Amino acid sequence: MPLQEEEFDQWLDSFVQTFKELKDEQKTRTLKAVLELCSCEQLTYLTQVFIPGSCQIDFLSHLPNDVVIKILKYLDGKSLKKCRKVCKSWNKTINSSKEVWLHQFWKLGGQVLAPSSITGKEARKLYWHQYQYKEKFNEDLDKAQFVFGPYDDEDNDEYYKLKSTYFYKPYLAAGSEDRSVYFWDTTTGIAYLVKVIEAHSICQIKFDKEFLYTASYDNTAACWNLESGQQHSRFVGHVNAVMCIEPIRSLKIVLTGSADSTIKIWDHDSGELLQTLVKFHSGWIKQVRALNSPLPDHLVILSCDTKGQICVWSKFFDQDRTLSHEHRMLLNVPFCLSSPIVTNNGLVCIPADISQVDVNNSTVNIIQSGRGVLSFFSVTAERRNGNETLVCSCVQKVPLPSSLSESRTLIGAGRRFAVFHVTEDYISEEGDLYPSSLCIVDLELKEIYQTSPVFHESPFGEPPILGETDWLDGFNERNHPWQLLITQMGDCHLSLTTGTK
């Protein structure tokens, strides 16, 4: 029999008080028994009114802001987009959280140049821009291939092979077997031949805004005025082919490395030989680079030969600005399989897990114990016995992903990314087969960021070279690479792979 309202209120109060005193198991049994007696009307109220209003609590609004940010950082961009649709408060919290969107941007390889001045809306825009860039990366590369060469506009049956490509924004240059160096402007997506300088047989070239530098098979090297094309200075003294060259404009000197296993230091303008270094190498010198020195009046040089010997060593200038006769080796890496890379911030990246085994007379002799690690070395200054001393030390070791192929060559490295040319078959998402690929590794997340096909191959077995390299330290709002990859082809042509502006 239904109870009167007053009697029902008394019964309900008594039932609630008794229910509170029950054990959890008894409460569950009671609730089950009551639910079994409910009709559709009560069950509808329970599921559509009571549970949504009472049980689905907006937990974010009950948590401290720093805890909310930590929780949201575990989500990816797509999940955050869905969470914004839950309710107005979630939408407001997520949209305005600059820290969360900058974290998402970082996970996609981004770096923010001025994080304090950026707003939450701008951070969100940065993320989605980078997301779209990564998603469309391979698709854009497929559309952004163009092939060009020095003889495209000539009616000539005689062609010469190209070699030693070099990029210095905004120009791309290559030496040719016809003893000339060709310069193209490729900034607009079309290769315009803008300059030709008649030089000599080319082994390696480099250039800056004023000068072209050439290393030659004729045992000499030279410096050429980029504007006039005239020879500025000539470096004569090697007894075998000059394999590599490195200008140091700040010190007004030029370094050359030769197949005669020597490194020579020259005066930039007069071509006078200042010094010959013969102590370290027994193979052909294939790479010589100047490193940033933390001390004034010091010259720090990286050299590498064809027998796998890598050295970092230093020279100092006397009071009259002449080079000292003493030179000290800072780092010695015997039998390294790959050439080192010098990063944009002056670190030396060696594609091997290397360990210090001996220190004698400020020389660190190291051995490589595996290829699954990138080792980064820096040159720093320390005060020892009252004197400033240059010290070469390993500052970071980054393990590479186990899925990365062993058939790889390191072609670029920075604070955030390393780029490898992988010489094994690559099958694209569309099912197309390519003989090699470009693999970008995120050094902070320690995972493969992107794998893309290399559309053209060099018949000489040379890996492609990178164009713009600022992005290796991390993407920002201004440095998505446009001139990304240059491949030397066998038919006197170059292939340029461009990105998205």
Side-chain angles (χ1 to χ4, degrees), residues 16-262:
V16 170
Q17 291 299 324
T18 304
F19 189 81
K20 288 180 179 179
E21 297 173 358
L22 297 177
K23 297 178 180 179
D24 287 341
E25 182 184 356
Q26 293 173 329
K27 289 181 179 180
T28 303
R29 290 172 58 190
T30 303
L31 186 62
K32 181 179 179 182
V34 172
L35 289 174
E36 289 176 349
L37 295 175
C38 292
S39 65
C40 291
E41 183 179 351
Q42 288 81 51
L43 293 175
T44 300
Y45 172 81
L46 180 69
T47 57
Q48 297 187 8
V49 179
F50 180 79
I51 291 178
S54 302
C55 298
Q56 294 182 358
I57 301 173
D58 179 8
F59 68 94
L60 290 184
S61 62
H62 295 274
L63 295 174
N65 186 61
D66 58 336
V67 176
V68 172
I69 290 175
K70 287 183 179 179
I71 292 173
L72 294 177
K73 282 183 176 180
Y74 282 101
L75 304 179
D76 58 20
K78 288 185 176 180
S79 299
L80 287 172
K81 189 175 182 180
K82 292 179 180 178
C83 288
R84 289 163 54 189
K85 300 178 181 178
V86 171
C87 61
K88 290 183 178 179
S89 63
W90 281 35
N91 182 64
K92 182 179 179 181
T93 299
I94 294 172
N95 280 346
S96 61
S97 181
K98 176 179 76 172
E99 190 174 344
V100 170
W101 289 108
L102 288 182
H103 182 73
Q104 298 298 326
F105 181 54
W106 171 81
K107 289 197 292 187
L108 290 182
Q111 62 163 350
V112 180
L113 300 179
S116 60
S117 63
I118 201 171
T119 65
K121 182 179 180 180
E122 290 169 337
R124 190 169 72 251
K125 184 178 179 181
L126 271 179
Y127 165 75
W128 287 114
H129 179 65
Q130 182 63 27
Y131 175 81
Q132 293 294 332
Y133 179 82
K134 183 178 180 183
E135 286 294 303
K136 295 182 178 181
F137 188 78
N138 282 355
E139 178 184 343
D140 290 338
L141 289 189
D142 192 17
K143 299 176 181 177
Q145 305 288 317
F146 62 95
V147 176
F148 57 95
Y151 312 111
D152 290 348
D153 298 328
E154 297 181 10
D155 185 13
N156 193 343
D157 294 332
E158 188 175 10
Y159 301 109
Y160 298 91
K161 294 180 181 178
L162 299 177
K163 59 192 316 173
S164 184
T165 53
Y166 189 77
F167 176 82
Y168 184 88
K169 196 172 183 178
Y171 296 131
L172 171 65
S176 170
E177 287 188 352
D178 66 2
R179 299 172 175 253
S180 297
V181 179
Y182 295 85
F183 293 80
W184 292 271
D185 184 343
T186 57
T187 55
T188 61
I190 301 175
Y192 292 101
L193 183 63
V194 295
K195 186 178 292 292
V196 180
I197 294 179
E198 296 182 3
H200 47 178
S201 59
I202 301 297
C203 184
Q204 187 186 66
I205 65 169
K206 289 182 179 179
F207 65 93
D208 55 28
K209 293 180 179 179
E210 294 185 66
F211 296 104
L212 164 69
Y213 303 90
T214 56
S216 175
Y217 291 109
D218 66 5
N219 303 354
T220 71
C223 171
W224 312 80
N225 186 287
L226 204 59
E227 181 67 27
S228 66
Q230 298 300 309
Q231 188 177 100
H232 178 77
S233 52
R234 193 163 183 248
F235 313 110
V236 181
H238 285 290
V239 296
N240 210 330
V242 182
M243 309 298 293
C244 51
I245 189 167
E246 173 80 345
I248 309 174
R249 295 292 303 278
S250 60
L251 298 177
K252 296 184 179 180
I253 59 176
V254 174
L255 308 176
T256 56
S258 169
D260 62 14
S261 303
T262 68

Side-chain angles (χ1 to χ4, degrees), residues 244-485:
C244 51
I245 189 167
E246 173 80 345
I248 309 174
R249 295 292 303 278
S250 60
L251 298 177
K252 296 184 179 180
I253 59 176
V254 174
L255 308 176
T256 56
S258 169
D260 62 14
S261 303
T262 68
I263 299 168
K264 294 183 182 292
I265 306 174
W266 313 83
D267 181 83
H268 181 280
D269 296 326
S270 68
E272 177 188 356
L273 177 62
L274 303 179
Q275 198 167 97
T276 300
L277 307 178
V278 296
K279 181 178 180 181
F280 306 122
H281 293 284
S282 57
W284 295 3
I285 311 297
K286 63 178 182 179
Q287 181 182 13
V288 58
R289 292 288 304 273
L291 304 180
N292 296 329
S293 172
L295 298 178
D297 300 330
H298 273 73
L299 173 63
V300 182
I301 300 173
L302 167 74
S303 56
C304 175
D305 66 30
T306 53
K307 292 187 177 180
Q309 193 90 13
I310 299 172
C311 298
V312 176
W313 44 278
S314 71
K315 301 285 296 181
F316 66 90
F317 291 93
D318 294 331
Q319 292 182 351
D320 59 354
R321 298 291 298 164
T322 58
L323 281 168
S324 64
H325 291 287
E326 175 189 1
H327 41 261
R328 297 179 295 108
M329 191 194 305
L330 301 174
L331 178 68
N332 177 33
V333 189
F335 312 117
C336 187
L337 299 178
S338 300
S339 298
I341 296 291
V342 180
T343 67
N344 292 330
N345 61 341
L347 295 180
V348 179
C349 177
I350 299 176
D353 184 7
I354 52 182
S355 304
Q356 178 177 317
V357 295
D358 186 29
V359 179
N360 290 310
N361 298 322
S362 301
T363 299
V364 180
N365 296 305
I366 61 179
I367 59 173
Q368 63 167 323
S369 55
R371 296 189 65 218
V373 170
L374 291 183
S375 299
F376 290 85
F377 284 81
S378 70
V379 178
T380 57
E382 292 185 3
R383 182 170 291 276
R384 295 179 179 177
N385 300 323
N387 297 319
E388 295 286 348
T389 303
L390 290 177
V391 178
C392 190
S393 57
C394 184
V395 296
Q396 186 182 22
K397 288 187 178 183
V398 182
L400 297 173
S402 57
S403 56
L404 184 63
S405 170
E406 287 293 324
S407 303
R408 62 179 184 261
T409 301
L410 180 68
I411 62 174
R415 286 193 297 265
R416 185 63 190 265
F417 296 108
V419 184
F420 294 89
H421 179 228
V422 178
T423 53
E424 65 178 22
D425 290 346
Y426 172 77
I427 301 177
S428 67
E429 295 180 355
E430 294 76 19
D432 298 323
L433 179 64
Y434 298 91
S436 68
S437 60
L438 193 72
C439 187
I440 304 173
V441 175
D442 189 322
L443 300 180
E444 291 192 10
L445 298 180
K446 299 176 178 59
E447 63 185 25
I448 294 177
Y449 177 84
Q450 192 81 38
T451 301
S452 306
V454 174
F455 295 90
H456 301 284
E457 290 294 302
S458 168
F460 314 115
E462 297 178 358
I465 67 168
L466 295 179
E468 296 161 271
T469 59
D470 291 349
W471 63 276
L472 294 175
D473 293 328
F475 290 107
N476 59 53
E477 56 270 31
R478 298 194 297 268
N479 73 346
H480 286 145
W482 166 240
Q483 297 172 109
L484 179 66
L485 195 70

